[in-house]
Amino acid sequence: MSTLPHPPRQLYYDGQVQPATSGKTFTTIDPSNATPLAEIHVASHSDIDSAIAAADRAFPSWSQTPPVARARILQKAAALLREKNDEIARIETLDSGKAYTETSTVDVFTGADTLEYYANLVGGGGLNGETTQLREDALVYTKKAPLGVCAGIGAWNYPIQIALWKSAPCLAAGNTMIYKPSEYTPLHAQTLAEVYREAGLPAGVFNVVYGAGDVGAYLTAHPTIAKVSFTGQVSTGMKVSGSAAGNMKYVTMELGGKSPLLILPDADLENAVDGAMMANFYSTGQVCTNGTRVFVPASWKVAFEKRLLTKMQYIRPGPLFDEATNMGPLSSAIHHEKVTSYIKHGIETDKATLLYGGLGKPQVPKDLEAGFWVRPTVFTDCTDSMRIVKEEIFGPVMSILYYETVEEAVRRANTTELGLAAGVFTKDLNQAHRIIDQLEAGITWINTWGESPAEMAVGGWKNSGLGVENGRKGIEAWVKNKSTLMDMSGAVVTVFAKL
């Protein structure tokens, strides 16, 4: 009998909780105080086979269910998620270390928005094909068909939101899914499965397995899996996409970034500072689209740094359920070690100017001192060759880079192998559009940063990903096309006629 504060998580497939046969478990940890939360049972290869078999059995019926009927189930699931928002958000806070002020207002709601969006899309004819009158007695029509059993591999920074970003279009399109949450934040997965079941989703349509990279590798290489959707770091994504593509599977990859935020000389200072802070410190900087390379006009140096230092005081780490807290710890011990090593490298090797923060932990209550806390950090006078500027840190670390001309800033912004996000702050909207067109990134913002509604297709360029999620374009990643040419002339044109 577990003595941990939350019940153990086993597997979920065929519409119910299932025991794992591996005999292996791991413990998920509260990042704010480094205490155990729950025991998680690891799926064996045999367990994954059973889950995939359940999804495979469910596919024929679910894929043939009329889109409007699928939509009703998913709409009900979205309503249930909103009803259970606070309960789910509390678990997300404990598991991820994010402040409750964030999880209660963003994570569940935005996930439910995506589920509702795709339910409405397919219910309103979003899976309809096209008809083209080729000539008077011939036409071409297209249909969209679901892919089959799909694998979704989640990330630890937005657990339930990403689970919904993957499962919503997958299920709406008529596919079934095996979902593997990150081993660092697994507590949401069974809750989501139970919400789907309560909404009327048939057994086997959404299934959950737990484990680390070896479980993900077996899942993505399985011959029955038709498509893999992965969110995570670039190096892992390359391995996953290589394995999947090598077996002719469909893939969607949402990977890392080192995104540039360009502040133009005519921008509003207050908005620019607020935007830069949101692009670096929200979710403790653990956001793949973060604008961690902040390009600032050289003439702004004194004013920008002065205003930024004033506003850095408004970052408030502390008890995660305190309404005043707006920054939590990093997600895990191993990630804390990674981020602090980058801060150390920035100080000692890159020799960037440390404007704020640095090594050590922020002041938090005594019962939280063992947690994975880090000080929000700002480096200034950075150069493009510094490691802290070139590599994704995935923590609350801002690098300020000064420039002389806008053309120079754009050129330097594009000097990276990554291309997930980019943005510009300026009062000149014509110039904003011109610069956005030059920035090599798949997700861009003008005079704002970070908002990613269900209606907005998002995906990276370069090494930052393949395909898009969300928006009307997002459903295309979960269907395959069938084109038919129908000739109604009553005769077949042939070259094989008697001369």
Side-chain angles (χ1 to χ4, degrees):
M1 189 74 179
S2 174
T3 58
L4 299 181
H6 295 272
R9 299 294 194 270
Q10 299 203 59
L11 312 179
Y12 188 98
Y13 59 87
D14 218 5
Q16 58 188 327
V17 174
Q18 306 274 5
T21 63
S22 68
K24 299 177 183 176
T25 62
F26 64 91
T27 304
T28 188
I29 303 294
D30 180 343
S32 71
N33 56 19
T35 60
L37 287 170
E39 189 177 58
I40 314 298
H41 291 244
V42 176
S44 67
H45 289 183
S46 171
D47 296 330
I48 299 169
D49 290 341
S50 296
I52 291 173
D56 199 31
R57 288 193 300 271
F59 175 71
S61 174
W62 180 245
S63 63
Q64 293 301 313
T65 300
V68 70
R70 295 199 298 261
R72 291 189 190 108
I73 293 171
L74 301 182
Q75 285 161 344
K76 185 174 181 183
L80 288 168
L81 286 166
R82 291 197 176 99
E83 287 176 18
K84 300 172 187 286
N85 177 79
D86 293 357
E87 170 194 341
I88 298 171
R90 289 189 69 83
I91 297 296
E92 288 287 271
T93 285
L94 293 170
D95 209 18
S96 70
K98 295 200 290 185
Y100 183 69
T101 52
E102 180 180 339
T103 61
S104 62
T105 58
V106 174
D107 296 48
V108 189
F109 276 121
T110 57
D113 285 348
T114 303
L115 187 57
E116 188 173 55
Y117 174 82
Y118 281 113
N120 292 344
L121 181 67
V122 301
L127 292 176
N128 292 347
E130 299 174 339
T131 301
T132 302
Q133 191 75 45
L134 193 62
R135 48 186 178 267
E136 185 181 8
D137 52 8
L139 59 85
V140 172
Y141 66 89
T142 65
K143 285 187 174 183
K144 297 173 183 176
L147 303 173
V149 181
C150 301
I153 300 180
W156 47 257
N157 58 334
Y158 277 82
I160 197 160
Q161 183 205 65
I162 291 174
L164 284 157
W165 277 23
K166 296 186 185 308
S167 61
C170 174
L171 306 187
N175 303 290
T176 58
M177 173 167 272
I178 311 295
Y179 172 65
K180 188 196 88 67
S182 166
E183 62 271 31
Y184 295 107
T185 51
L187 292 182
H188 65 287
Q190 184 178 322
T191 300
L192 178 57
E194 289 169 347
V195 165
Y196 277 138
R197 181 177 63 186
E198 186 179 347
L201 196 71
V205 175
F206 182 78
N207 312 274
V208 177
V209 297
Y210 299 104
D214 56 329
V215 169
Y218 183 81
L219 176 61
T220 58
H222 198 284
T224 305
I225 296 294
K227 187 253 172 79
V228 178
S229 177
F230 172 84
T231 299
Q233 64 184 17
V234 175
S235 58
T236 307
M238 287 182 168
K239 292 175 185 174
V240 173
S241 62
S243 168
N247 289 292
M248 301 303 290
K249 301 180 190 296
Y250 294 83
V251 292
T252 306
M253 296 282 136
E254 202 273 280
L255 308 178
K258 193 67 182 175
S259 302
L261 186 162
L262 277 63
I263 296 169
L264 302 197
D266 72 330
D268 179 85
L269 175 63
E270 200 76 8
N271 287 342
V273 172
D274 286 341
M277 290 186 67
M278 285 297 289
N280 279 271
F281 304 118
Y282 193 69
S283 283
T284 319
Q286 299 171 126
V287 185
C288 51
T289 53
N290 264 6
T292 54
R293 293 185 296 144
V294 181
F295 288 88
V296 177
S299 60
W300 275 42
K301 181 175 172 61
V302 173
F304 185 82
E305 292 183 3
K306 181 181 179 181
R307 195 69 188 115
L308 177 63
L309 283 172
T310 299
K311 294 203 168 197
M312 291 297 291
Q313 314 302 321
Y314 305 154
I315 299 176
R316 297 179 295 273
L320 299 184
F321 293 96
D322 187 326
E323 288 187 2
T325 298
N326 59 14
M327 181 171 152
L330 295 170
S331 68
S332 65
I334 192 169
H335 191 55
H336 182 270
E337 183 181 335
K338 173 189 172 184
V339 172
T340 53
S341 73
Y342 271 110
I343 295 173
K344 187 169 189 263
H345 191 278
I347 296 169
E348 297 178 0
T349 306
D350 287 335
K351 299 192 182 305
T353 302
L354 181 64
L355 186 68
Y356 188 89
L359 295 168
K361 295 185 177 183
Q363 187 173 357
V364 292
K366 192 170 182 60
D367 62 337
L368 300 180
E369 287 177 352
F372 312 129
W373 298 88
V374 67
R375 297 172 70 189
T377 296
V378 179
F379 288 107
T380 189
D381 303 319
C382 295
T383 63
D384 299 334
S385 61
M386 291 178 178
R387 188 178 172 211
I388 57 169
V389 173
K390 293 168 70 175
E391 298 180 13
E392 184 178 41
I393 299 173
F394 218 68
V397 182
M398 179 192 296
S399 296
I400 303 174
L401 301 105
Y402 290 102
Y403 69 88
E404 296 295 337
T405 68
V406 173
E407 292 74 20
E408 171 205 338
V410 172
R411 175 181 54 78
R412 291 169 61 194
N414 287 334
T415 308
T416 172
E417 294 180 349
L418 301 174
L420 189 58
V424 58
F425 278 74
T426 176
K427 294 174 184 173
D428 184 342
L429 293 183
N430 288 330
Q431 186 178 32
H433 292 303
R434 284 195 299 272
I435 291 173
I436 285 293
D437 282 347
Q438 295 173 53
L439 293 173
E440 297 168 356
I443 309 164
T444 54
W445 291 285
I446 296 173
N447 292 330
T448 185
W449 194 278
E451 185 178 4
S452 187
E455 296 85 352
M456 181 179 180
V458 294
W461 290 11
K462 302 180 182 178
N463 286 348
S464 288
L466 292 170
V468 300
E469 295 182 309
N470 295 352
R472 294 186 68 88
K473 184 73 173 173
I475 198 76
E476 298 297 331
W478 298 94
V479 294
K480 53 192 175 187
N481 187 77
K482 178 177 286 189
S483 296
T484 302
L485 192 157
M486 182 165 62
D487 190 296
M488 299 169 287
S489 66
V492 175
V493 176
T494 177
V495 299
F496 303 108
K498 185 177 178 180
L499 292 176

